[in-house]
Amino acid sequence: MTESVEKSLIFKLTSAIIVTAGVVATCITYFYENYRVPMKVLEVTLEYKNVAETSTKTKKEIDEVKTAHLETQKKLTDTELQVGELNERIVSQNLTIQKLHLANLFQANFYPVGYGRPRVGDSVDELKSLYSSKDVHWNSDGEWKVKVSIPDGYFESIEYDYDEKTRVISAVMFAAAPSTKKALVSLISDIGGPPVKSKRGEIYRWDVNNGQSGYLVSHRLWMIMGEGMEPLLWKEP
């Protein structure tokens, strides 16, 4: 009898435990399905919302930077156009000035305007009172020459040959810039008439005055020489 009672009690206790476990499991499942899962979904939703807001803000900032960049590019392009137009005007004005200067480049005595002194037959020492010492270069190689640099002008330098004892100038050479076009032949012909052309090389001759002659060598070296003098390459036609 006692053994039967004990078995009955054990069965009941076991059943109660099983029922209790089932209830607990059911409660856990209910809690997980009705509270934990929705909370997790809510957390994920909020996190996604934050990410979306950050993404939208970042995109807005990027768009603002792009807009500012485009505005800067436009201003830069407008400035470049203005600079280009200004440069074109400067080039045009310089060409006009150059044409005016060329039209009045020479005096009637064959010397360029502004460089009529000293001339062939004058004392080379006149240069000391006409130019700054830094622009006058006296030759120290045994040749009696002196060169004058011209910072701005159609001619970039003038060279004078002179006699060692008398210091009288025997020849003057004006060197035009390398970029000079073949304009000197026409300009000198306007005051001296058609030239005589050498049988050798691009050399032209005009009679200046008092037995002196002017020679244009290679279209950029204008030389006025004393009586009886001529360039080494000159050959009578």
Side-chain angles (χ1 to χ4, degrees), residues 13 21 27 75 86 103 111 145 149 158 176 212 217 224 226:
L13 181 61
C27 290
K75 290 179 181 179
L86 181 59
Y111 284 84
K145 298 177 180 291
S149 298
I158 310 172
Q212 300 173 14
V217 180
I224 299 178

Side-chain angles (χ1 to χ4, degrees), residues 1-200:
M1 180 69 179
T2 302
E3 184 179 350
S4 297
V5 171
E6 288 178 353
K7 288 182 179 180
S8 177
L9 287 174
I10 291 172
F11 176 77
K12 289 180 180 180
L13 181 61
T14 303
S15 298
I17 291 172
I18 292 172
V19 170
T20 301
V23 171
V24 170
T26 301
C27 290
I28 291 173
T29 302
Y30 179 83
F31 174 80
Y32 187 81
E33 290 179 350
N34 291 274
Y35 292 96
R36 179 59 184 165
V37 172
M39 287 296 292
K40 188 64 177 178
V41 171
L42 179 60
E43 289 176 2
V44 172
T45 302
L46 290 175
E47 184 177 349
Y48 174 78
K49 184 179 179 182
N50 291 335
V51 171
E53 289 177 351
T54 302
S55 175
T56 301
K57 183 180 179 181
T58 302
K59 183 177 182 301
K60 182 180 179 182
E61 291 175 351
I62 292 173
D63 289 341
E64 290 175 352
V65 171
K66 286 182 178 179
T67 300
H69 176 70
L70 290 174
E71 290 176 354
T72 302
Q73 281 293 113
K74 185 177 183 302
K75 290 179 181 179
L76 181 61
T77 301
D78 292 342
T79 301
E80 289 176 345
L81 289 174
Q82 292 174 1
V83 171
E85 291 174 357
L86 181 59
N87 286 336
E88 288 179 0
R89 288 173 58 187
I90 292 174
V91 170
S92 177
Q93 290 175 354
N94 286 340
L95 289 174
T96 301
I97 292 172
Q98 186 177 21
K99 288 179 180 178
L100 291 173
H101 181 63
L102 285 176
N104 300 280
L105 185 61
F106 288 97
Q107 305 175 79
N109 61 7
F110 291 90
Y111 284 84
V113 172
Y115 303 102
R117 302 292 299 183
R119 308 175 189 174
V120 171
D122 294 338
S123 171
V124 72
D125 292 318
E126 285 188 30
L127 293 172
K128 297 177 182 179
S129 62
L130 294 174
Y131 297 97
S132 170
S133 58
K134 65 181 180 63
D135 294 325
V136 180
H137 310 280
W138 298 86
N139 194 304
S140 58
D141 297 331
E143 294 184 343
W144 300 98
K145 298 177 180 291
V146 58
K147 184 177 182 178
V148 177
S149 298
I150 303 174
D152 299 300
Y154 188 84
F155 295 99
E156 59 183 11
S157 67
I158 310 172
E159 188 171 286
Y160 297 86
D161 291 359
Y162 62 96
D163 182 84
E164 174 187 2
K165 295 180 180 179
T166 64
R167 300 186 68 80
V168 171
I169 296 171
S170 57
V172 182
M173 182 178 72
F174 299 88
S179 59
T180 301
K181 304 296 182 181
K182 297 181 179 181
L184 289 180
V185 173
S186 176
L187 293 171
I188 300 172
S189 295
D190 288 342
I191 58 174
V196 176
K197 189 177 184 303
S198 172
K199 290 183 66 175
R200 178 171 51 199

Side-chain angles (χ1 to χ4, degrees), residues 200-224:
R200 178 171 51 199
E202 291 290 318
I203 306 177
Y204 302 86
R205 184 187 69 198
W206 288 264
D207 293 328
V208 178
N209 55 49
N210 300 323
Q212 300 173 14
S213 297
Y215 296 89
L216 180 62
V217 180
S218 300
H219 294 281
R220 57 177 296 259
L221 300 177
W222 172 235
M223 310 168 69
I224 299 178

